[in-house]
C-alpha cells in the first residue's frame, strides 16, 4: 500500500501552520510512532475540522490506526476521507486501504468493489494498482476463479517487477487448489519426518519444494481442495496438531 500523501489536483490552499503540523505528523508516521501520529493529527482536526488540511490529517490518523490494528477506528477515518476529500490521490489511497480492511473482515464483495475502483482510476504501472490487483487476485482465488486470478498476478509482476508485492504475486500465480501449510524445512528429509505425525492421524500430506530468498525450502502441506470453504472447514482439525497452521494456495 502507498502510505505517503501528495498534493493531487486540489486547488485549495492549506494554511502554512497547518501544513507544518501535517508534515510533523507524517514524519512521526514514517518513524512508526503511530500513537504520536494519532495525537498530532487529533490536534490538527480539533483546530481545523474541515477542508483538505483536515482530510490529510484524517488520512494519516486512519493509517496510523490501521497500523495499530485499530480497524474500526481506521475505517471510520478513511471513510471520511473517501467521502469528502477533493484530493484524487488521497481518495485513491484511502480506497485501497478500505479495500484491505474489508478483505480482513471477510467482506469480499465490498473489498472487490473498492479494489476495482482503485484499478479503474489508476494507471496500470502506478501505485496503489499493484496492491489492488494483488488483492483482487487473492479474492478471485477465494472464489475459485483461478484463471482470472492469474491475470491479476501477471499484471502485478509485469508492471511492478522486483518489488515485494510482485514476489507475493509470483508465489500465488498458477494456483489451482487450497492446502493447509503446517511447516517449512531446509531439508526434504526433515519435512518427511514431520509429515509422519499427520499421516498417523489419517491426513494426506504433500511436500512442496519452493524458492524463498534464493534458497530452496520444503513446505509441508495437508490436503488439496478446489474450494476455499472446504479447505477452511478442515483447518480446525489440523490446528489441533499445529496451532499456527494456515491456508495457502497450491499449484
Amino acid at each position: 500500500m502507498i502510505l505517503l500523501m501528495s498534493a493531487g489536483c486540489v486547488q485549495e490552499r492549506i494554511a502554512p501552520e497547518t501544513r507544518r503540523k501535517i508534515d510533523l505528523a507524517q514524519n512521526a508516521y514514517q518513524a512508526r510512532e503511530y500513537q504520536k501520529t494519532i495525537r498530532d493529527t487529533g490536534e490538527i482536526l480539533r483546530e481545523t475540522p474541515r477542508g483538505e488540511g483536515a482530510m490529510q490529517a484524517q488520512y494519516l490518523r486512519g493509517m496510523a490506526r490501521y497500523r495499530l490494528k485499530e480497524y474500526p477506528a481506521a475505517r471510520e477515518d478513511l471513510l471520511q476521507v473517501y467521502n469528502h476529500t477533493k484530493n484524487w490521490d488521497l481518495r485513491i489511497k484511502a480506497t485501497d486501504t478500505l479495500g484491505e480492511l474489508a478483505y480482513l473482515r471477510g467482506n469480499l464483495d465490498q473489498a472487490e468493489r473498492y479494489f476495482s475502483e482503485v484499478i479503474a482510476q489508476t494507471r496500470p504501472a502506478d501505485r496503489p494498482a499493484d496492491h489492488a490487483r494483488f488483492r483482487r487476485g487473492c479474492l478471485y482465488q477465494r472464489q475459485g476463479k483461478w484463471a482470472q486470478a492469474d491475470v491479476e498476478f501477471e499484471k502485478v509482476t509485469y508492471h511492478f517487477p522486483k518489488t515485494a508485492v510482485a514476489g507475493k504475486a509470483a508465489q500465488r500465480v498458477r494456483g489451482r487448489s487450497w492446502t493447509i501449510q503446517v511447516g517449512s524445512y531446509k531439508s526434504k528429509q526433515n519435512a518427511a519426518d514431520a509429515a509422519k505425525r499427520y499421516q498417523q492421524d489419517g491426513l494426506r500430506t504433500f511436500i512442496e519444494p519452493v524458492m524463498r530468498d534464493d534458497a530452496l525450502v520444503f513446505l509441508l502441506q495437508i490436503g488439496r481442495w478446489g474450494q476455499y470453504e472446504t479447505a477452511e472447514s478442515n483447518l480446525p482439525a489440523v490446528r489441533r496438531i499445529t496451532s499456527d497452521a494456515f491456508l495457502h494456495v497450491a499449484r
Side-chain angles (χ1 to χ4, degrees):
M1 284 173 283
I2 304 303
L3 308 179
L4 303 181
M5 295 179 292
S6 62
C9 300
V10 179
Q11 299 300 317
E12 179 183 333
R13 298 184 63 182
I14 298 173
E17 181 61 16
T18 301
R19 178 75 267 169
R20 184 186 71 82
K21 290 181 177 180
I22 291 171
D23 289 343
L24 289 174
Q26 183 168 315
N27 290 340
Y29 179 86
Q30 291 175 320
R32 300 184 181 182
E33 297 174 354
Y34 301 130
Q35 293 291 359
K36 185 177 188 305
T37 305
I38 292 170
R39 291 195 300 271
D40 290 352
T41 51
E43 180 181 340
I44 295 168
L45 288 165
R46 285 191 293 274
E47 296 173 352
T48 311
R50 289 179 295 278
E52 283 306 311
M55 290 293 95
Q56 292 194 15
Q58 195 142 29
Y59 171 78
L60 266 178
R61 188 172 71 177
M63 293 306 303
R65 286 170 163 171
Y66 168 79
R67 291 299 183 187
L68 292 172
K69 298 185 178 181
E70 298 175 0
Y71 294 146
R75 182 172 181 270
E76 184 177 340
D77 276 332
L78 294 171
L79 275 173
Q80 287 295 314
V81 177
Y82 178 85
N83 289 322
H84 299 295
T85 186
K86 299 175 183 178
N87 182 321
W88 179 86
D89 288 339
L90 202 63
R91 188 177 187 276
I92 287 296
K93 293 166 188 175
T95 305
D96 185 60
T97 308
L98 285 167
E100 183 69 11
L101 289 168
Y103 181 85
L104 293 172
R105 292 197 314 275
N107 192 334
L108 303 188
D109 289 341
Q110 186 180 75
E112 185 173 353
R113 287 195 296 272
Y114 280 129
F115 291 134
S116 295
E117 183 176 342
V118 172
I119 293 165
Q121 298 187 30
T122 309
R123 290 180 295 185
D126 287 349
R127 292 173 171 169
D130 55 343
H131 175 263
R133 283 202 181 278
F134 172 75
R135 270 295 184 235
R136 193 161 73 171
C138 296
L139 288 167
Y140 286 155
Q141 288 185 330
R142 288 276 293 268
Q143 297 165 353
K145 300 175 182 178
W146 300 101
Q148 289 176 252
D150 286 348
V151 173
E152 301 297 338
F153 295 139
E154 286 167 358
K155 286 183 178 180
V156 172
T157 58
Y158 177 79
H159 290 294
F160 303 92
K162 299 180 181 179
T163 62
V165 70
K168 292 179 180 180
Q171 291 174 17
R172 297 189 71 137
V173 72
R174 296 185 300 280
R176 290 298 180 269
S177 61
W178 289 95
T179 187
I180 300 173
Q181 188 163 309
V182 294
S184 176
Y185 301 87
K186 293 182 178 180
S187 79
K188 187 174 182 179
Q189 186 58 53
N190 288 344
D193 291 341
K196 295 175 184 176
R197 180 183 181 188
Y198 301 94
Q199 293 164 356
Q200 289 171 355
D201 284 2
L203 297 170
R204 188 182 180 193
T205 62
F206 297 83
I207 297 174
E208 187 76 18
V210 297
M211 295 298 296
R212 293 286 188 271
D213 299 323
D214 297 322
L216 182 65
V217 298
F218 297 88
L219 306 180
L220 178 57
Q221 300 170 341
I222 307 295
R224 292 286 190 272
W225 299 276
Q227 296 297 320
Y228 180 88
E229 291 77 12
T230 308
E232 188 178 39
S233 69
N234 284 274
L235 187 58
V238 178
R239 281 184 171 167
R240 284 195 286 271
I241 303 172
T242 302
S243 61
D244 58 354
F246 60 93
L247 296 179
H248 189 63
V249 171
R251 291 187 172 94

